[in-house]
Amino acid sequence: MNRNPSIDWTATPAAVWRRHRQGLRAIRRLDPIGWGDLTGIERQQLELARNTERFLAGDPSNNALLWGARGTGKSSLIKALLNRYWASGLRMIEVDKDDLVNLPEIVDDIAEQPFRFVIFCDDLSFEVGESGYKALKSVLEGSLELPPENVRVYATSNRRHLMPEFMEDNLKNELRGGEIHPGEAVEEQVSLADRFGLQLSFYAFPQDVYLQAIDALFPQVADRDELHRQALRFATSRGVRNGRTAQQFYRQYAGSAFGA
């Protein structure tokens, strides 16, 4: 394994693990999204910021799972978190699901660094028969060797338990002594997500929150009624109201129809 000693973490806020290079590559063009650019997820921002600040201070902190509806700001929140805290010593390494088997080696490489690292797994989920989650489990809670104190895992997913859930699995639950005992399949599904001490849920925006996001993107538009009508029509055509839809509406109409 190439341990990439050339990465200067003093000047590099983030890196990504690249399988074909068997090592880390510094990210040169970070998404510039700011903490104040996020709308409709204030509660999740507050909780993740509090956990991250405890982590940076060396206080007890949790691994975090951000789960819920697509396009609701889960990944954007992680990116904004890095932009907010990297000057305070936060560093981030993005690892794809297929590369989780290398996670123990990645963690070993950074365990002695003076910075605090978040391993970022975006859009994480596992199918039946996949084994990559076993390496993730060992980093989340350790095996014989404890995970290093300067590493936490922040993951986003559309699935609450990260693994597929089938009706037939629930039918295998047993009733013993008046208590419901989950079947082995359900226990396996839940066991991975349980290792994330902080779990934040994200849902599709209600209409008023979606329009708040639109207003934030179009601060100069005078005709708010027409702006809202067009934005709602745009969201209806896509079948969902969320932050991603608001951004797509902005990219399609900014500087033209509404003169923003």
Side-chain angles (χ1 to χ4, degrees), residues 35 39-50 67 77 198-203:
W35 197 251
T39 303
I41 54 173
E42 289 78 11
R43 176 186 61 82
Q44 294 91 332
Q45 281 182 268
L46 179 64
E47 293 193 38
L48 192 62
R50 183 185 298 118
W67 68 273
L77 178 51
L198 177 61
Q199 298 188 21
L200 301 174
S201 56
F202 292 72
Y203 300 95

Side-chain angles (χ1 to χ4, degrees), residues 40-99:
I41 54 173
E42 289 78 11
R43 176 186 61 82
Q44 294 91 332
Q45 281 182 268
L46 179 64
E47 293 193 38
L48 192 62
R50 183 185 298 118
N51 187 71
T52 303
E53 288 170 4
R54 290 178 62 82
F55 175 48
L56 291 172
D59 295 329
S61 59
N62 281 307
N63 300 294
L65 173 62
L66 286 61
W67 68 273
R70 67 187 190 277
T72 48
K74 301 183 294 294
S75 300
S76 295
L77 178 51
I78 299 292
K79 297 172 185 176
L81 189 80
L82 176 61
N83 290 329
R84 188 184 196 196
Y85 290 109
W86 82 269
S88 300
L90 181 66
R91 297 296 183 265
M92 197 167 289
I93 298 176
E94 185 172 1
V95 180
D96 188 74
K97 178 187 72 172
D98 294 334
D99 295 326

Side-chain angles (χ1 to χ4, degrees), residues 22-251:
Q22 284 293 294
L24 295 170
R25 178 183 67 81
I27 296 177
R28 299 180 179 86
R29 295 179 300 278
L30 287 177
D31 189 320
I33 186 169
W35 197 251
D37 296 334
L38 305 174
T39 303
I41 54 173
E42 289 78 11
R43 176 186 61 82
Q44 294 91 332
Q45 281 182 268
L46 179 64
E47 293 193 38
L48 192 62
R50 183 185 298 118
N51 187 71
T52 303
E53 288 170 4
R54 290 178 62 82
F55 175 48
L56 291 172
D59 295 329
S61 59
N62 281 307
N63 300 294
L65 173 62
L66 286 61
W67 68 273
R70 67 187 190 277
T72 48
K74 301 183 294 294
S75 300
S76 295
L77 178 51
I78 299 292
K79 297 172 185 176
L81 189 80
L82 176 61
N83 290 329
R84 188 184 196 196
Y85 290 109
W86 82 269
S88 300
L90 181 66
R91 297 296 183 265
M92 197 167 289
I93 298 176
E94 185 172 1
V95 180
D96 188 74
K97 178 187 72 172
D98 294 334
D99 295 326
L100 288 175
V101 293
N102 298 301
L103 201 50
E105 288 81 5
I106 296 171
V107 169
D108 281 346
D109 283 352
I110 58 178
E112 302 302 322
Q113 289 283 341
F115 301 99
R116 296 272 164 167
F117 288 86
V118 163
I119 303 296
F120 175 37
C121 302
D122 195 25
D123 197 20
L124 184 63
S125 65
F126 297 96
E127 302 301 329
V128 175
E130 290 185 320
S131 58
Y133 71 91
K134 294 180 181 178
L136 180 57
K137 276 186 176 182
S138 69
V139 171
L140 289 172
E141 286 197 351
S143 49
L144 287 177
E145 182 180 14
L146 287 174
E149 278 301 309
N150 71 330
V151 176
R152 293 292 180 270
V153 177
Y154 285 7
T156 70
S157 180
N158 295 334
R159 290 175 173 171
R160 181 175 186 176
H161 294 141
L162 298 174
M163 301 184 73
E165 301 176 54
F166 303 104
M167 178 63 71
E168 64 185 62
D169 295 334
N170 291 319
L171 295 177
K172 296 176 183 177
N173 292 346
E174 297 180 0
L175 183 64
R176 297 198 300 266
E179 295 182 349
I180 296 177
H181 294 265
E184 290 183 1
V186 174
E187 289 282 9
E188 181 71 8
Q189 292 160 3
V190 175
S191 66
L192 178 57
D194 274 354
R195 285 167 167 76
F196 291 91
L198 177 61
Q199 298 188 21
L200 301 174
S201 56
F202 292 72
Y203 300 95
F205 288 178
Q207 179 171 302
D208 61 329
V209 174
Y210 171 69
L211 293 178
Q212 287 174 21
I214 293 295
D215 287 338
L217 292 169
F218 292 87
Q220 300 176 351
V221 174
D223 191 347
R224 291 282 147 184
D225 290 339
E226 179 60 21
L227 173 66
H228 290 176
R229 277 195 293 271
Q230 294 295 335
L232 290 172
R233 182 180 301 169
F234 186 86
T236 300
S237 70
R238 280 151 180 76
V240 63
R241 293 188 301 262
N242 55 36
R244 180 179 296 159
T245 304
Q247 286 287 344
Q248 291 171 343
F249 178 77
Y250 173 77
R251 286 194 289 267

